Amino acid sequence: MLDWDDLRFFLALARTGSLSAAARDLRVAQSTVGRRLTSLEASLGVRLLNRTPDGYMPTLAGEEVRTQAERLEAEALSLERTVGGRDNRLAGLVRVTCAETIASYLLAPCFAALHAEHPDMMVELISNPRELSLAMREAEISVRLTRSDQHDLVVRKIGTLDFGLYAAPTYLERQGEPGYDAGCTGHHLITQLDDIQDAAQANWLADLAPRARIAVQTNSHEAALLAATHGGGLACLARFRADRECGLTRLTTPSPPPSAGIWLVVHRDNRHTVRIRTVLSHISDCVHGLGGILSPDTKKSS
């Protein structure tokens, strides 16, 4: 009989192509991943993965095993979700994934209050640059700034995140106010690749300042904010973070940056589990309560 754990380790390695990445995802040592792969290959009597300069790549036999193993995995996960959905206890673990800035400034305070109300529940808050899979049970709940259209997910908009263009007063003294008609010639930009920005904000900034030079590029909203605070250039930042920074000035622009929806996501098989539903409601209530901070323009117009 094949060991399902061996198959699970094989799948992680086949998907990531790296012992270190697979070990990180599985939360084990690299040697454990290698040992499990050796065990599976010995059981089957065939090589499943070849080590190449680009990482571990499946052999023909490995591709076949991966296809079959993913079917088994899907069935096992479906069974877990079905059985787990019958758990009516307000106790146990709920894993929530989101971007780092959302985790630190919105959800961490929210979950501190949740624990005071439900001490037998534990929330694992996972900030990750990639979207963890709810179908694969990498997390139970996701808070995203882009809407998912996967058919097995239940998605609900719970808020809006407004952005603005910011710079440090010292930067403006040195470079002067940006001339939008001239494409912000002579100015420097701090741009983001990920975290809480998407293409809409990046494209807006590129259209606003086509003649500016990129000085700093980062996948961290916090790094972009600190770079701007220290005079690094113009940055499109979330207002709920940047408005509170005394070292930043929000600039008037010809048009406001596009806002982002805040989406609460759960797998349809998990949405009725009591502890998961409780966390969903708590997140929704917290974000609604912060509506005037997350989207100040909405508050002003109401």
Side-chain angles (χ1 to χ4, degrees):
M1 292 289 290
L2 289 177
D3 188 329
W4 165 244
D5 266 350
D6 288 347
L7 288 170
R8 187 167 59 91
F9 279 76
F10 160 75
L11 281 176
L13 186 52
R15 286 166 176 158
T16 63
S18 160
L19 281 173
S20 59
R24 187 165 55 250
D25 286 351
L26 295 167
R27 300 182 185 180
V28 298
Q30 291 187 39
S31 58
T32 303
V33 179
R35 188 171 64 252
R36 289 288 193 169
L37 174 62
T38 300
S39 171
L40 180 60
E41 289 180 334
S43 297
L44 295 173
V46 65
R47 180 176 291 278
L48 300 176
L49 295 172
N50 285 325
R51 188 172 184 176
T52 74
D54 295 325
Y56 283 86
M57 302 296 291
T59 63
L60 289 176
E63 290 286 3
E64 179 63 27
V65 171
R66 177 175 179 169
T67 299
Q68 297 293 337
E70 286 179 336
R71 290 175 185 166
L72 291 172
E73 181 184 52
E75 290 296 327
L77 291 170
S78 177
L79 177 61
E80 286 183 23
R81 290 192 300 266
T82 300
V83 174
R86 298 174 183 170
D87 188 349
N88 293 318
R89 298 170 299 162
L90 274 172
L93 174 67
V94 178
R95 290 162 296 189
V96 180
T97 179
C98 60
E100 170 62 34
T101 302
I102 299 295
S104 299
Y105 292 94
L106 297 186
L107 297 189
C110 162
F111 293 147
L114 174 67
H115 181 71
E117 188 175 343
H118 301 292
D120 292 330
M121 290 179 56
M122 187 183 90
V123 174
E124 184 176 325
L125 182 55
I126 308 167
S127 60
N128 200 303
R130 70 178 181 89
E131 290 187 354
L132 299 185
S133 172
L134 304 187
M136 304 300 293
R137 292 185 63 86
E138 293 180 317
E140 282 76 46
I141 296 171
S142 179
V143 180
R144 301 176 182 174
L145 298 181
T146 55
R147 182 170 186 170
S148 175
D149 57 1
Q150 296 180 38
H151 72 281
D152 55 351
L153 300 180
V154 177
V155 182
R156 180 162 59 96
K157 186 177 181 181
I158 57 173
T160 300
L161 199 61
D162 281 351
F163 292 83
L165 184 68
Y166 294 84
T170 53
Y171 171 84
L172 296 172
E173 289 172 9
R174 185 175 73 246
Q175 301 296 132
E177 294 286 333
Y180 302 119
D181 290 340
C184 297
T185 301
H187 280 272
H188 304 146
L189 300 181
I190 300 166
T191 62
Q192 296 175 60
L193 302 172
D194 208 335
D195 201 6
I196 64 173
Q197 267 200 13
D198 62 18
Q201 290 81 38
N203 292 339
W204 174 85
L205 185 57
D207 291 340
L208 182 74
R211 295 177 180 267
R213 297 178 60 185
I214 296 177
V216 177
Q217 194 168 55
T218 176
N219 66 349
S220 165
H221 183 270
E222 290 303 299
L225 183 143
L226 289 172
T229 303
H230 286 81
L234 308 173
C236 181
L237 301 169
R239 290 194 57 184
F240 86 94
R241 279 292 291 120
D243 281 352
R244 69 175 73 176
E245 294 291 326
C246 58
L248 287 175
T249 297
R250 185 164 66 91
L251 304 175
T252 301
T253 56
S255 63
S259 60
I262 304 174
W263 303 91
L264 193 56
V265 188
V266 64
H267 196 281
R268 64 182 180 184
D269 292 342
N270 288 335
R271 67 189 187 277
H272 297 306
T273 303
V274 171
R275 68 179 182 279
I276 294 175
R277 191 168 68 238
T278 299
V279 176
L280 288 168
S281 296
H282 202 79
I283 293 172
S284 180
D285 290 345
C286 285
V287 171
H288 285 152
L290 294 170
I293 297 173
L294 300 175
S295 183
D297 290 339
T298 301
K299 182 179 181 181
K300 186 184 300 183
S301 62
S302 60

